[in-house]
Amino acid sequence: MNPKQVKNLLVAQIKLVSANAKSFCVDSEKNFSRKRKLTMEKIIAGIIGMGSGSITNELVDFFNDSSETPTSSAFCQQRCKVSVEAFETVFRLFSKKLFDSFKADLPILAVDGSKIQIPTDPTDADSFFPGTNGQKPYNMVHLNALYDIKHQLYLDAVIQKAKFENEDVALTEMVDRSPLHNALLMADRGYESYNNLSHIQEKGWYFLFRIKDGPTGIKQGLILPDASSYDVNIELNLTRKQTNEVKELLKDKNHYKFISTTKVFDYLPIKNRKSEPTSFYKLSFRIVRFPLSEDTYETIITNLPSEKYPPGEIKKLYASRWGIETSFRDLKYTMGMLDFHSKKVECIQQEIYAHLTMYNFAEMITSHVVIKKKQRKYIYRANFSVAAHMCRKFYRGITSPPDLETIISRNLVPIRPDRHRDRYQSARIFRGFLYRVA
């Protein structure tokens, strides 16, 4: 798919949503009922193309330095009339169209979450934290994303306000509504739960989750080999009932497991009376433990067949999950998802979906740029920072092919797969609206 086709595809999804404006307005009776310069189509297209500059500068660029450029005040008033669902719909439609253009026997997906600090707004109680021990107050939202590892595209996302953050709910929501009939889903230890695994199994997908290696979690209660490495098949029958007959069955810990009524499990009734037949849910998986180094080990739970996916292949697959971590870095710092143009949480959610859309737009174009192979120490790839900048200019109509591909192919960075750095976490302070780049 060449750059013009990708751009036409995105514009088509924006037009499709804008044509049904009444369904994506905050007030369907009043909003966009009159003809204005800033239509819903221009609002959506403008926000998707925004960088980290001030609203005025972004509008001047979007309207190509025209004297008809609307004021930032007019833009802010109009954008508040557009619902978050409009941007979410554009993102999901565009992502599906891109993914449908690929042919893959087994799509490899990853799910993960990332916290995003947003401008302080005490009026939004669901995302506001007053701060303690001298800490300044702040607002926070949580982005949950479903990511295609092979093609480096975001397929789905759920944004939650920090006080209602629940990665398990977001995962099951994205899995249940996905149009894919077959896929492999990978996740880190935070998603370890029988309910998540069951939703994936019911979808007909494969799962590959890292689980806790200690005495807690899914491993607790299972009878596993007393060895540093192993690959064990388990068939668990889950139940919420605790009659004397069931208690005898529960002694076979590798085949029967009791699920407390306090734990979420969507495929068993919360109450199972003694007079009713005992309900069981069958969950089949493997527990695979392998070494990472001389003194560290990883434990994986998966339902991939052992004949085709031995421990060595499982190790390689899980290592590829790191792609979603690096994509979050590009999404925040390269695409500018940390610099918003509003204090209202709903407007910020608009921009998050807009940045996800622009990320997919830039990644799709960049991945199809031909990089000439030369005799070098490392394999080289396109510098995504430069590529994203050029793709945003192409989206705005400032540049066009073949100049677009030429500049991207000339700005390269080496791929160093064995390079490791310590991961440091530090608090990031919100950068105020008066200190944006010109």
Side-chain angles (χ1 to χ4, degrees), residues 87-148:
F87 292 85
E88 181 182 3
T89 303
V90 170
F91 159 67
R92 290 176 61 190
L93 289 175
F94 180 58
S95 302
K96 185 179 184 303
K97 293 288 185 181
L98 294 180
F99 188 81
D100 289 345
S101 65
F102 303 118
K103 293 181 180 179
D105 296 331
L106 182 66
I108 301 176
L109 312 179
V111 64
D112 207 348
S114 182
K115 297 182 185 298
I116 303 171
Q117 185 175 343
I118 62 177
T120 305
D121 181 10
T123 62
D124 190 79
D126 296 339
S127 65
F128 178 73
F129 294 89
T132 56
N133 299 324
Q135 184 184 28
K136 291 183 178 180
Y138 62 95
N139 286 64
M140 189 83 71
V141 295
H142 191 78
L143 172 65
N144 305 272
L146 190 64
Y147 183 75
D148 179 8

Coordinates of all heavy atoms in Angstrom, one line a residue, residues 87-148:
F87 N -13.6 9.9 17.3 CA -12.1 9.7 17.1 C -11.8 8.2 17.3 O -11.0 7.6 16.6 CB -11.3 10.5 18.1 CG -11.4 12.0 17.8 CD1 -12.4 12.8 18.3 CD2 -10.4 12.6 17.0 CE1 -12.4 14.1 18.0 CE2 -10.5 13.9 16.7 CZ -11.5 14.7 17.2
E88 N -12.5 7.6 18.3 CA -12.3 6.1 18.5 C -12.7 5.3 17.3 O -12.1 4.4 16.9 CB -13.1 5.7 19.7 CG -12.9 4.2 20.1 CD -13.7 3.8 21.3 OE1 -14.5 4.6 21.8 OE2 -13.6 2.6 21.7
T89 N -13.9 5.7 16.7 CA -14.4 5.0 15.5 C -13.4 5.2 14.3 O -13.2 4.2 13.6 CB -15.8 5.6 15.1 OG1 -16.6 5.4 16.3 CG2 -16.4 4.8 14.0
V90 N -12.9 6.4 14.1 CA -12.0 6.6 13.0 C -10.7 5.7 13.2 O -10.3 5.1 12.3 CB -11.6 8.1 12.9 CG1 -10.4 8.3 11.9 CG2 -12.7 8.9 12.4
F91 N -10.2 5.7 14.4 CA -9.0 4.9 14.7 C -9.3 3.4 14.5 O -8.5 2.7 13.8 CB -8.6 5.1 16.2 CG -7.8 4.0 16.8 CD1 -6.5 3.8 16.3 CD2 -8.3 3.2 17.8 CE1 -5.7 2.8 16.8 CE2 -7.5 2.2 18.3 CZ -6.2 2.0 17.8
R92 N -10.4 2.9 15.0 CA -10.7 1.5 14.8 C -10.9 1.1 13.4 O -10.5 0.0 12.9 CB -11.8 1.1 15.8 CG -11.4 1.1 17.2 CD -12.6 0.8 18.1 NE -13.1 -0.5 17.9 CZ -14.3 -1.0 18.4 NH1 -15.0 -0.2 19.2 NH2 -14.7 -2.2 18.2
L93 N -11.7 1.9 12.7 CA -12.0 1.6 11.2 C -10.7 1.6 10.4 O -10.5 0.8 9.6 CB -13.0 2.6 10.7 CG -14.4 2.5 11.2 CD1 -15.3 3.7 10.6 CD2 -15.1 1.2 10.8
F94 N -9.9 2.7 10.6 CA -8.6 2.8 9.9 C -7.7 1.6 10.2 O -7.1 1.1 9.3 CB -8.0 4.1 10.3 CG -6.7 4.4 9.5 CD1 -6.6 4.4 8.2 CD2 -5.5 4.7 10.3 CE1 -5.4 4.7 7.5 CE2 -4.3 4.9 9.6 CZ -4.3 4.9 8.2
S95 N -7.6 1.3 11.5 CA -6.7 0.2 11.9 C -7.2 -1.2 11.3 O -6.3 -2.0 10.8 CB -6.7 0.0 13.4 OG -6.3 1.2 14.0
K96 N -8.5 -1.4 11.2 CA -9.0 -2.6 10.6 C -8.7 -2.7 9.1 O -8.3 -3.7 8.6 CB -10.5 -2.7 10.9 CG -11.1 -4.0 10.4 CD -12.6 -4.1 10.7 CE -13.1 -5.5 10.3 NZ -12.9 -5.8 8.8
K97 N -8.9 -1.5 8.5 CA -8.6 -1.5 7.0 C -7.1 -1.8 6.7 O -6.8 -2.5 5.8 CB -8.9 -0.1 6.4 CG -10.4 0.2 6.5 CD -11.2 -0.6 5.4 CE -12.7 -0.2 5.4 NZ -13.4 -1.0 4.4
L98 N -6.2 -1.2 7.6 CA -4.8 -1.5 7.4 C -4.5 -3.0 7.6 O -3.8 -3.6 6.9 CB -4.0 -0.6 8.3 CG -4.0 0.9 8.1 CD1 -3.1 1.6 9.1 CD2 -3.5 1.2 6.7
F99 N -5.0 -3.5 8.7 CA -4.8 -4.9 9.1 C -5.3 -5.9 8.0 O -4.7 -6.9 7.7 CB -5.3 -5.2 10.5 CG -4.9 -6.6 11.0 CD1 -3.7 -6.8 11.6 CD2 -5.8 -7.7 10.8 CE1 -3.3 -8.0 12.0 CE2 -5.4 -8.9 11.3 CZ -4.2 -9.1 11.9
D100 N -6.5 -5.5 7.5 CA -7.1 -6.4 6.4 C -6.2 -6.5 5.2 O -6.4 -7.4 4.4 CB -8.5 -5.9 6.1 CG -9.5 -6.2 7.2 OD1 -9.2 -7.0 8.1 OD2 -10.6 -5.5 7.2
S101 N -5.3 -5.5 5.0 CA -4.5 -5.6 3.8 C -3.3 -6.6 3.9 O -2.6 -6.8 2.9 CB -3.9 -4.2 3.5 OG -3.0 -3.8 4.6
F102 N -3.1 -7.1 5.1 CA -2.1 -8.1 5.3 C -2.6 -9.5 5.3 O -3.8 -9.7 5.5 CB -1.4 -7.9 6.7 CG -0.8 -6.5 6.9 CD1 -1.3 -5.7 7.9 CD2 0.2 -6.1 6.1 CE1 -0.8 -4.4 8.1 CE2 0.7 -4.8 6.3 CZ 0.2 -4.0 7.3
K103 N -1.7 -10.5 5.0 CA -2.1 -11.8 5.0 C -1.2 -12.6 6.0 O 0.0 -12.7 5.8 CB -1.9 -12.5 3.6 CG -2.9 -11.9 2.6 CD -2.7 -12.6 1.2 CE -3.7 -12.0 0.2 NZ -3.5 -12.7 -1.1
A104 N -1.8 -13.0 7.1 CA -1.0 -13.7 8.1 C -1.8 -14.9 8.6 O -3.0 -14.9 8.8 CB -0.8 -12.7 9.3
D105 N -1.0 -16.0 8.7 CA -1.6 -17.3 9.2 C -2.0 -17.2 10.6 O -3.1 -17.6 11.0 CB -0.6 -18.4 9.0 CG -0.2 -18.7 7.5 OD1 -1.1 -18.4 6.7 OD2 0.9 -19.1 7.3
L106 N -1.2 -16.6 11.4 CA -1.5 -16.4 12.9 C -1.0 -15.1 13.3 O 0.2 -14.9 13.6 CB -0.8 -17.5 13.7 CG -1.1 -17.5 15.2 CD1 -2.6 -17.8 15.5 CD2 -0.2 -18.5 16.0
P107 N -1.9 -14.1 13.4 CA -1.5 -12.8 13.9 C -1.0 -12.8 15.3 O -1.5 -13.5 16.1 CB -2.8 -11.9 13.8 CG -3.7 -12.7 12.9 CD -3.3 -14.1 13.0
I108 N 0.2 -12.2 15.5 CA 0.8 -12.2 16.9 C 0.5 -10.8 17.5 O 1.0 -9.8 17.0 CB 2.3 -12.5 16.8 CG1 2.5 -13.8 16.1 CG2 2.9 -12.4 18.2 CD1 4.0 -14.2 15.9
L109 N -0.3 -10.8 18.6 CA -0.7 -9.6 19.2 C -0.1 -9.5 20.6 O 0.2 -10.5 21.2 CB -2.2 -9.5 19.3 CG -3.0 -9.8 18.0 CD1 -4.5 -9.7 18.3 CD2 -2.6 -8.9 16.9
A110 N 0.0 -8.3 21.1 CA 0.4 -8.0 22.5 C -0.6 -7.0 23.1 O -1.1 -6.1 22.4 CB 1.8 -7.5 22.6
V111 N -0.8 -7.2 24.4 CA -1.7 -6.2 25.1 C -0.9 -5.7 26.3 O -0.1 -6.4 26.9 CB -3.0 -6.9 25.6 CG1 -2.7 -8.0 26.6 CG2 -3.9 -5.9 26.2
D112 N -1.0 -4.4 26.5 CA -0.3 -3.8 27.6 C -1.0 -2.4 27.9 O -1.8 -1.9 27.2 CB 1.2 -3.6 27.3 CG 2.0 -3.5 28.6 OD1 1.5 -3.5 29.7 OD2 3.3 -3.6 28.5
G113 N -0.6 -1.8 29.1 CA -1.1 -0.6 29.5 C -0.1 0.4 29.8 O 1.1 0.1 30.1
S114 N -0.4 1.7 29.7 CA 0.5 2.8 30.0 C -0.2 3.9 30.7 O -1.3 4.3 30.2 CB 1.3 3.2 28.8 OG 2.2 4.2 29.0
K115 N 0.4 4.5 31.7 CA -0.2 5.6 32.4 C 0.2 6.9 31.7 O 1.3 7.1 31.2 CB 0.3 5.7 33.9 CG -0.2 4.5 34.7 CD 0.2 4.7 36.1 CE -0.1 3.4 37.0 NZ -1.6 3.2 37.0
I116 N -0.7 7.9 31.6 CA -0.5 9.1 30.9 C -0.9 10.3 31.9 O -2.1 10.4 32.2 CB -1.3 9.2 29.6 CG1 -1.0 8.1 28.7 CG2 -1.0 10.6 28.9 CD1 -1.8 8.0 27.5
Q117 N 0.1 11.1 32.2 CA -0.3 12.2 33.1 C -0.8 13.3 32.2 O -0.3 13.7 31.1 CB 1.0 12.7 33.8 CG 0.7 13.9 34.8 CD 1.9 14.3 35.6 OE1 2.8 13.5 35.7 NE2 1.8 15.5 36.2
I118 N -1.9 13.9 32.6 CA -2.6 15.0 31.8 C -2.7 16.3 32.6 O -2.4 16.3 33.8 CB -4.0 14.5 31.4 CG1 -4.9 14.2 32.6 CG2 -3.9 13.2 30.5 CD1 -6.3 13.8 32.3
P119 N -3.1 17.4 32.0 CA -3.2 18.6 32.8 C -4.0 18.5 34.0 O -5.1 17.8 34.0 CB -3.8 19.6 31.7 CG -3.4 19.0 30.4 CD -3.4 17.6 30.6
T120 N -3.7 19.2 35.0 CA -4.4 19.1 36.3 C -5.8 19.8 36.2 O -5.9 20.9 35.8 CB -3.6 19.8 37.4 OG1 -2.3 19.2 37.5 CG2 -4.3 19.6 38.8
D121 N -6.8 19.0 36.5 CA -8.2 19.5 36.5 C -8.9 18.9 37.7 O -9.4 17.8 37.6 CB -8.8 19.0 35.2 CG -10.3 19.5 35.0 OD1 -10.7 20.3 35.8 OD2 -11.0 19.0 34.1
P122 N -9.0 19.6 38.8 CA -9.7 19.2 40.0 C -11.2 18.8 39.8 O -11.7 18.1 40.6 CB -9.5 20.3 41.0 CG -8.4 21.1 40.4 CD -8.4 21.0 39.0
T123 N -11.8 19.4 38.7 CA -13.2 19.1 38.5 C -13.5 17.7 38.0 O -14.6 17.3 38.1 CB -13.8 20.2 37.5 OG1 -13.1 20.0 36.2 CG2 -13.6 21.6 38.0
D124 N -12.5 17.0 37.5 CA -12.7 15.7 37.0 C -12.2 14.7 38.1 O -11.1 14.3 38.2 CB -11.9 15.4 35.7 CG -12.3 14.1 35.1 OD1 -13.4 14.0 34.5 OD2 -11.6 13.1 35.3
A125 N -13.1 14.4 39.0 CA -12.8 13.6 40.2 C -12.3 12.2 39.9 O -11.5 11.6 40.6 CB -14.0 13.5 41.1
D126 N -12.7 11.6 38.7 CA -12.4 10.3 38.4 C -10.9 10.1 38.0 O -10.4 9.0 37.9 CB -13.3 9.7 37.3 CG -14.7 9.6 37.7 OD1 -15.0 9.6 38.9 OD2 -15.6 9.6 36.8
S127 N -10.2 11.2 37.6 CA -8.8 11.1 37.2 C -7.9 12.0 38.1 O -6.7 12.0 37.9 CB -8.7 11.5 35.8 OG -9.0 12.9 35.6
F128 N -8.5 12.7 39.0 CA -7.8 13.7 39.8 C -7.2 13.1 41.1 O -7.9 12.3 41.8 CB -8.6 14.9 40.2 CG -8.0 15.9 41.1 CD1 -7.0 16.8 40.5 CD2 -8.3 16.0 42.4 CE1 -6.4 17.7 41.3 CE2 -7.7 17.0 43.2 CZ -6.7 17.8 42.7
F129 N -5.9 13.4 41.4 CA -5.3 12.9 42.7 C -4.8 14.2 43.4 O -4.0 14.9 42.8 CB -4.2 12.0 42.4 CG -4.6 10.6 41.8 CD1 -4.8 10.5 40.5 CD2 -4.9 9.6 42.7 CE1 -5.2 9.3 39.9 CE2 -5.4 8.4 42.1 CZ -5.5 8.2 40.8
P130 N -5.2 14.5 44.6 CA -4.8 15.7 45.3 C -3.3 15.8 45.6 O -2.7 16.8 45.9 CB -5.6 15.7 46.5 CG -6.0 14.3 46.8 CD -6.1 13.6 45.4
G131 N -2.6 14.6 45.7 CA -1.2 14.6 46.0 C -1.0 14.5 47.5 O -1.8 15.1 48.3
T132 N 0.0 13.8 48.0 CA 0.3 13.7 49.4 C 1.7 13.9 49.7 O 2.6 13.8 48.8 CB -0.1 12.3 49.9 OG1 0.6 11.3 49.1 CG2 -1.6 12.0 49.7
N133 N 2.1 14.2 50.9 CA 3.5 14.5 51.3 C 4.2 15.5 50.5 O 5.3 15.3 50.0 CB 4.2 13.1 51.3 CG 3.7 12.1 52.2 OD1 3.2 12.4 53.3 ND2 3.7 10.8 51.8
G134 N 3.4 16.6 50.3 CA 4.1 17.7 49.5 C 4.0 17.6 48.0 O 4.5 18.5 47.3
Q135 N 3.4 16.5 47.5 CA 3.3 16.3 46.1 C 2.3 17.1 45.5 O 1.2 17.3 46.1 CB 3.0 14.8 45.8 CG 3.0 14.4 44.3 CD 2.6 13.0 44.1 OE1 1.9 12.4 44.9 NE2 3.1 12.4 43.0
K136 N 2.5 17.7 44.3 CA 1.5 18.5 43.6 C 0.4 17.7 43.1 O 0.5 16.5 42.8 CB 2.2 19.3 42.5 CG 3.2 20.3 42.9 CD 3.7 21.1 41.7 CE 4.7 22.2 42.1 NZ 5.2 22.9 40.9
P137 N -0.8 18.2 43.1 CA -2.0 17.5 42.5 C -1.8 17.2 41.1 O -1.1 17.9 40.4 CB -3.2 18.4 42.8 CG -2.6 19.8 42.9 CD -1.2 19.6 43.5
Y138 N -2.4 16.1 40.6 CA -2.3 15.8 39.2 C -3.5 14.9 38.7 O -4.2 14.4 39.5 CB -1.0 14.9 39.0 CG -0.9 13.6 39.7 CD1 -1.3 12.4 39.1 CD2 -0.5 13.6 41.1 CE1 -1.3 11.2 39.8 CE2 -0.5 12.4 41.8 CZ -0.9 11.2 41.1 OH -0.9 10.0 41.8
N139 N -3.6 14.8 37.4 CA -4.6 13.9 36.8 C -3.9 12.9 36.0 O -2.9 13.1 35.4 CB -5.6 14.7 35.9 CG -6.5 15.6 36.7 OD1 -6.1 16.5 37.4 ND2 -7.8 15.3 36.6
M140 N -4.6 11.7 35.9 CA -4.0 10.6 35.2 C -5.0 9.8 34.5 O -6.1 9.6 35.0 CB -3.2 9.7 36.2 CG -2.4 8.6 35.6 SD -0.8 9.2 35.2 CE 0.0 9.4 36.8
V141 N -4.7 9.3 33.3 CA -5.5 8.3 32.6 C -4.7 7.1 32.3 O -3.5 7.2 32.3 CB -6.2 8.9 31.3 CG1 -7.2 10.0 31.6 CG2 -5.1 9.4 30.3
H142 N -5.3 6.0 31.9 CA -4.6 4.8 31.7 C -5.0 4.3 30.3 O -6.2 4.1 30.0 CB -5.0 3.7 32.7 CG -4.1 2.5 32.6 ND1 -2.8 2.5 33.1 CD2 -4.3 1.3 32.1 CE1 -2.3 1.3 32.9 NE2 -3.2 0.5 32.3
L143 N -4.0 4.1 29.4 CA -4.2 3.6 28.0 C -4.0 2.1 28.0 O -2.9 1.7 28.3 CB -3.3 4.4 27.1 CG -3.3 3.8 25.6 CD1 -4.6 4.0 25.0 CD2 -2.2 4.5 24.8
N144 N -5.0 1.4 27.6 CA -4.8 -0.1 27.3 C -4.9 -0.3 25.8 O -5.8 0.2 25.1 CB -6.0 -0.9 28.0 CG -6.1 -0.6 29.4 OD1 -5.5 -1.2 30.3 ND2 -7.0 0.4 29.8
A145 N -3.9 -1.0 25.3 CA -3.8 -1.1 23.8 C -3.5 -2.5 23.4 O -2.9 -3.3 24.1 CB -2.6 -0.2 23.3
L146 N -4.1 -2.9 22.2 CA -3.9 -4.1 21.6 C -3.0 -3.9 20.3 O -3.4 -3.1 19.5 CB -5.2 -4.8 21.1 CG -5.2 -6.2 20.6 CD1 -4.8 -7.1 21.8 CD2 -6.6 -6.6 20.1
Y147 N -1.9 -4.5 20.3 CA -0.8 -4.2 19.3 C -0.4 -5.4 18.5 O -0.2 -6.5 19.0 CB 0.4 -3.6 20.1 CG 1.5 -3.1 19.3 CD1 1.5 -1.9 18.7 CD2 2.7 -3.9 19.2 CE1 2.6 -1.4 18.0 CE2 3.8 -3.4 18.5 CZ 3.8 -2.2 17.9 OH 4.8 -1.7 17.2
D148 N -0.3 -5.1 17.2 CA 0.2 -6.2 16.2 C 1.7 -6.1 16.2 O 2.3 -5.2 15.7 CB -0.5 -5.9 14.9 CG 0.0 -6.9 13.8 OD1 0.7 -7.9 14.2 OD2 -0.3 -6.7 12.6

